[in-house]
Structure formats: C-alpha cells, structure tokens
Amino acid sequence: MNIAVITGASSGMGRDFVFAIDKEFTLDEIWVIARREERLLELQKDCRAKIRPIALDLAVSESHEIYKGLLEEHKPEIQVLINNAGFGLFGEFSQLDLDKQLNLIDLNVKGLTAMSHISLPYMPAGSHLLNLASNSSWQPVPYINVYGSSKAYVMNFSRALEMELKKRKIHVMAIAPHWIKTEFFDRAVHDDTIKYYDRFYTSQQVVNKAMKDLRKRKSVSIMGFPIRMQVRLVKLLPVRWVMGIWCKQQGK
C-alpha cells in the first residue's frame, strides 16, 4: 500500500499539501494527522486517494506510539512524509507562558523528530520527506525567540538528514516560508509585540513552490525572489546587525 503522511493537515498549508500531493502522486491512501478529526474528514470530498483521518496531538509522546502501531499494523510504503504540524508564539520570552513555550518545543521539535524517525523504516528509495521550517530559521529572532529557535532546529536537522539519507535515495527538503496569512496567526499573536510585516504570501503560493522544488529534489524551498535575496544577505551580515534591524522594524 502506497501512502503519503501529512501532519497539521486540518487547515492552512497542511490542507493545501493534501490536495497537491493527491494530484501529484498516485496513492492508495493519504494519512492526514491533526487534532481536529472533523476537519480531516472534510478532505475526502476533494481527493482521489482514500483519506485516513488520524486525530492525534503530536506534542504528546503517546501519539507517537499510536502512529508507530498503525505503521506496524498496515506496513505501508510511505512515498511522501510532510511534517507540517507546528505553531508559533510572538512575545517577550520572560512574559510568555512557560507551559505554552514548552508545548511549542514538544510539537515543533520533538514531534517532527519522532515522526521522521518512526516513518523512515517504511520509506523506500525515491520517497520524499518534507519538513516545515521558516524564514526565521536563518538567524536568532528576538520576540519570536523559541519559535525561531525551533525552526532553526528543523532547518539544520533536515539538511543534515538529507546527507545521511543520500545513500538510501530518500529526498529531504526543508520548506522555509516567509509570512503566510493562515490560522497560524490566531495562535501566535496575542498583542502588538510584532508590528511590522514586510510582505505576505498565500499558503497556496508556498505549497506550489514547494511542489516544484520537490520535483527538482531541492534541499530547501524558499518562496519569492525577494526572500531568497534576504536570506543571502542575512548570511553575510553580522548576527547582531540582523537582530538590530529586526528590532528597529518592530519598534524595540
């Protein structure tokens, strides 16, 4: 049984990835994972492949064991794994709720790592593993501190894993989008700490670019020429300069 596995599939980029993968690949099933099962069930009407909704909170270790059990039971071949689940928190580190920040790490870092490790025994040569990083992966980001740090982990993890899996011919790609107007902001923003947003892209734009880069087997997917130039510049400038510019933009 050929399948794709997509986490955070109930809305935003995860939902758009479900439709893109269904169109791009011939699959028996797409396993869609998120906390809101009713949202997952809605996906079937727009997909060719059978949708298997799996209601899990990947920030919780018990969910990883449930997923592992499903793989052991069905023994599928995973053609595509997209680790999209994650959330952000904007604000001053010392003022943000500690439990929420630890939950962010559990999902963005531990959940993604667990899903990758558990899935790899079922991924054949020619398969794809896509991890959602961020444009905040490239440098420290004050006031988005823990979120940006979690995405720096995702970027470094993905690029190192790509080298490790070359011998198995498994393609690994990190997706590093800029600002995207999705439900992400409903959870991330709770005050006016972050005031300046230079440009937004749509979820569909980012997913379309990621699919093009998947076909080219790129290691990193970045939507938008201005953002690619920004990333190059950030790599050249001293880190304190970059943080200073960011803080000035936010009125700090």
Side-chain angles (χ1 to χ4, degrees):
M1 178 170 64
N2 290 321
I3 72 168
V5 179
I6 302 173
T7 73
S10 61
S11 64
M13 284 185 57
R15 189 173 186 273
D16 287 337
F17 265 124
V18 172
F19 301 141
I21 292 298
D22 181 64
K23 184 179 179 180
E24 183 77 17
F25 292 85
T26 301
L27 301 164
D28 298 303
E29 293 185 0
I30 302 177
W31 291 17
V32 290
I33 301 176
R35 293 177 300 168
R36 297 174 291 186
E37 186 176 19
E38 70 280 0
R39 289 279 196 95
L40 300 176
L41 290 168
E42 294 171 0
L43 296 168
Q44 183 63 76
K45 67 179 184 296
D46 297 311
C47 290
R48 298 178 303 161
K50 178 183 176 182
I51 295 295
R52 182 185 292 265
I54 305 171
L56 295 174
D57 180 356
L58 295 176
V60 179
S61 297
E62 289 77 9
S63 294
H64 310 157
E65 292 302 315
I66 293 171
Y67 174 65
K68 183 178 180 181
L70 287 170
L71 290 178
E72 291 172 347
E73 177 185 355
H74 295 282
K75 296 179 172 54
E77 285 199 346
I78 301 174
Q79 302 299 323
V80 186
L81 167 63
I82 302 180
N83 284 312
N84 171 75
F87 72 94
L89 290 170
F90 296 175
E92 190 171 343
F93 169 73
S94 62
Q95 301 302 313
L96 289 171
D97 182 80
L98 176 60
D99 287 339
K100 289 181 180 179
Q101 294 188 83
L102 294 177
N103 185 246
L104 183 155
I105 294 169
D106 286 339
L107 180 57
N108 293 11
V109 175
K110 291 174 65 177
L112 178 144
T113 305
M115 287 295 295
S116 300
H117 193 275
I118 294 166
S119 300
L120 276 170
Y122 299 88
M123 299 185 72
S127 59
H128 305 269
L129 196 168
L130 278 57
N131 291 326
L132 191 68
S134 166
N135 198 41
S136 63
S137 302
W138 310 105
Q139 70 282 314
V141 189
Y143 307 103
I144 312 182
N145 191 347
V146 176
Y147 172 75
S149 298
S150 75
K151 293 304 184 177
Y153 170 88
V154 172
M155 179 62 70
N156 289 328
F157 170 75
S158 301
R159 301 192 80 171
L161 188 61
E162 179 198 21
M163 294 297 292
E164 293 183 21
L165 294 178
K166 273 190 174 182
K167 59 182 178 294
R168 290 179 53 183
K169 298 182 180 179
I170 295 175
H171 168 226
V172 181
M173 183 173 75
I175 304 164
H178 198 57
W179 302 116
I180 313 171
K181 197 64 175 178
T182 66
E183 290 181 16
F184 171 90
F185 282 89
D186 297 340
R187 192 170 183 181
V189 178
H190 62 277
D191 58 24
D192 62 351
T193 299
I194 303 302
K195 305 173 183 178
Y196 173 77
Y197 303 94
D198 56 345
R199 58 172 51 83
F200 279 94
Y201 292 99
T202 67
S203 171
Q204 192 64 62
Q205 284 177 306
V206 176
V207 169
N208 288 344
K209 179 64 165 63
M211 295 303 297
K212 290 179 182 178
D213 291 339
L214 177 150
R215 297 180 199 113
K216 297 175 182 178
R217 303 183 74 85
K218 288 191 175 182
S219 60
V220 179
S221 178
I222 301 172
M223 175 65 213
F225 177 78
I227 307 306
R228 291 194 291 275
M229 293 303 100
Q230 182 186 104
V231 170
R232 290 186 180 183
L233 185 61
V234 161
K235 291 180 179 180
L236 296 174
L237 292 175
V239 170
R240 292 190 66 84
W241 285 19
V242 175
M243 290 194 294
I245 293 168
W246 162 259
C247 288
K248 186 175 181 180
Q249 288 172 334
Q250 305 306 333
K252 306 300 181 188

